[in-house]
Amino acid sequence: MDIHAAVVSSFDNPPRYEPFDLPAPSDGDQALVDVLAAGLHPRVRTGASGVRTVLVP
């Protein structure tokens, strides 16, 4: 199944919205669900790109 997702392909770059091949559920313990939208916190984006913010008191 082909979906679109925020894909991290390298920790040098932020996630990119692109097609992603989703594997099928493999057994009875897994289920396939539809997700309309999900949030991506800015901290996740900067963490994936390798950027770190240091707060100095």
Side-chain angles (χ1 to χ4, degrees):
M1 171 181 249
D2 197 32
I3 63 169
H4 283 83
V7 179
V8 177
S9 56
S10 168
F11 288 108
D12 297 334
N13 298 310
R16 295 181 50 94
Y17 181 73
E18 57 187 50
F20 183 79
D21 187 30
L22 184 68
S26 60
D27 60 23
D29 291 341
Q30 298 180 355
L32 182 63
V33 298
D34 288 327
V35 176
L36 180 60
L40 185 62
H41 192 277
R43 178 64 186 107
V44 174
R45 292 193 331 243
T46 56
S49 68
V51 175
R52 243 171 103 179
T53 303
V54 178
L55 299 176
V56 179

